[in-house]
Amino acid sequence: MNPLTPTDPGCVPADADRVSEPVHVGGPHGPWHRVREDMRSRGNAVVFATWGEWLGPAVTDPGLRPLLGRDWQRYRRTTDPLVRFRFVTSRLVTKYTAAAALGTQAGELDLAYKIGGRPYLRGLDQVDISLTHTDDLIAVGVSRNGRIGVDAEPADRSMSYDLLHDHVCTPAERAGLEPLPEEQRAAALLRLWTLKEAYTKAIGQGLRLGFTEFGFGTGSAGLLAPDGRPASRGEWAFATHRALGRYLISVACHDAGLDTARDTAPHTMLDEGFMSAVTDLLTP
């Protein structure tokens, strides 16, 4: 899967050195080595799957209850079959991804939730997680460098520039989009939408931060002010990719200055004192 390039109207190209390319994980078998490699080389990893790919293994796994942990009761209480199955598969994809990133077992991790529903790993605050889903797609991002946000949308989602530009676009973005043909402009607007969703998720604001308060350029991966000037010092990196030929996945990664050179196994990741505590936590 290739990132969108600057020749695609309105896209923000991938920063290949800092944002990992999303990996398709078709079930509990992975390929998890790709996640471990991305964590070692970039300090972040992104995966995607369809809930149907995970449904069979999820509902037939005799170890499902310990895998879900505190989510087991919520799973059992959910009466709508579709909601129930999507819930269980999204939690398993999240846990397996985090486990691969940390070099441990999914059942050893305690997935909890902040106000607003953002997942986190209890006792592992230096590892950030973002979960998103749309239609049958689930995408998960994990980072040990800083905050991460992931958003996904169907690539054919209809977005009316005339109806949305006042609510979504900065003046600089409008100046870049208005000369485009209608179809290209709609596609470019969708890419901007997913990037803005990913960024606001990463900083924990969701839709509370107005989309017209920050922007992106058509040929730059950087965060921009409404007038088009740079709005960061390079601590943020962004990428947009196609997945399965029918979805867009956008990722926002923040670099908090943590060391990304070491292995991500629990006994070597981050600083010695922190990982000593992690090892104690994960040891039965």
Side-chain angles (χ1 to χ4, degrees):
M1 178 177 57
N2 295 321
L4 301 179
T5 68
T7 58
D8 294 301
C11 85
V12 176
D15 185 337
D17 292 332
R18 297 172 58 191
V19 182
S20 296
E21 180 179 332
V23 177
H24 183 193
V25 290
H29 55 277
W32 301 116
H33 70 280
R34 293 274 306 280
V35 172
R36 291 189 289 269
E37 290 168 1
D38 287 340
M39 290 296 291
R40 281 194 294 268
S41 61
R42 297 182 179 89
N44 60 73
V46 181
V47 308
F48 65 91
T50 63
W51 68 272
E53 293 173 320
W54 282 70
L55 181 56
V59 298
T60 60
D61 189 339
L64 181 60
R65 182 168 185 169
L67 269 174
L68 285 180
R70 66 180 66 246
D71 282 327
W72 173 255
Q73 293 303 324
R74 180 177 172 184
Y75 167 66
R76 295 288 294 172
R77 289 195 304 266
T78 303
T79 57
D80 185 307
L82 184 60
V83 175
R84 186 180 187 186
F85 292 147
R86 286 182 174 177
F87 174 78
V88 69
T89 53
S90 67
R91 270 52 188 180
L92 290 187
V93 174
T94 301
K95 273 203 167 184
Y96 272 89
T97 303
L102 290 166
T104 187
Q105 298 298 313
E108 299 292 336
L109 299 177
D110 186 4
L111 191 65
Y113 305 92
K114 300 177 182 179
I115 296 175
R118 184 182 178 92
Y120 72 96
L121 298 175
R122 190 180 297 274
L124 298 170
D125 291 342
Q126 293 191 44
V127 177
D128 199 41
I129 298 175
S130 182
L131 166 67
T132 189
H133 51 82
T134 183
D135 290 350
D136 65 340
L137 187 80
I138 300 164
V140 177
V142 182
S143 175
R144 65 184 177 96
N145 295 345
R147 302 302 299 271
I148 189 169
V150 180
D151 187 65
E153 293 287 349
D156 61 355
R157 177 182 173 184
S158 177
M159 299 197 77
S160 170
Y161 177 80
D162 292 338
L163 292 176
L164 294 173
H165 70 272
D166 283 341
H167 306 286
V168 176
C169 300
T170 65
E173 288 171 333
R174 290 200 300 269
L177 292 177
E178 286 175 357
L180 298 176
E182 183 177 353
E183 184 176 348
Q184 293 181 0
R185 188 168 57 212
L189 182 62
L190 179 60
R191 295 187 186 103
L192 287 176
W193 177 275
T194 61
L195 285 162
K196 294 190 178 198
E197 285 272 17
Y199 175 66
T200 55
K201 288 177 181 179
I203 62 177
Q205 292 297 310
L207 293 176
R208 293 187 296 275
L209 178 62
F211 279 6
T212 59
E213 297 179 33
F214 63 97
F216 299 94
T218 59
S220 169
L223 186 67
L224 303 178
D227 62 3
R229 292 179 298 174
S232 73
R233 299 177 180 176
E235 66 271 23
W236 284 96
F238 302 89
T240 301
H241 290 264
R242 281 191 179 269
L244 302 177
R246 62 184 187 274
Y247 294 103
L248 293 186
I249 298 177
S250 284
V251 186
C253 284
H254 179 254
D255 185 352
L258 299 175
D259 180 13
T260 62
R262 299 188 225 181
D263 194 358
T264 54
H267 65 283
T268 58
M269 191 184 79
L270 303 177
D271 62 83
E272 297 293 335
F274 174 71
M275 286 321 302
S276 176
V278 172
T279 302
D280 291 342
L281 176 69
L282 298 180
T283 301

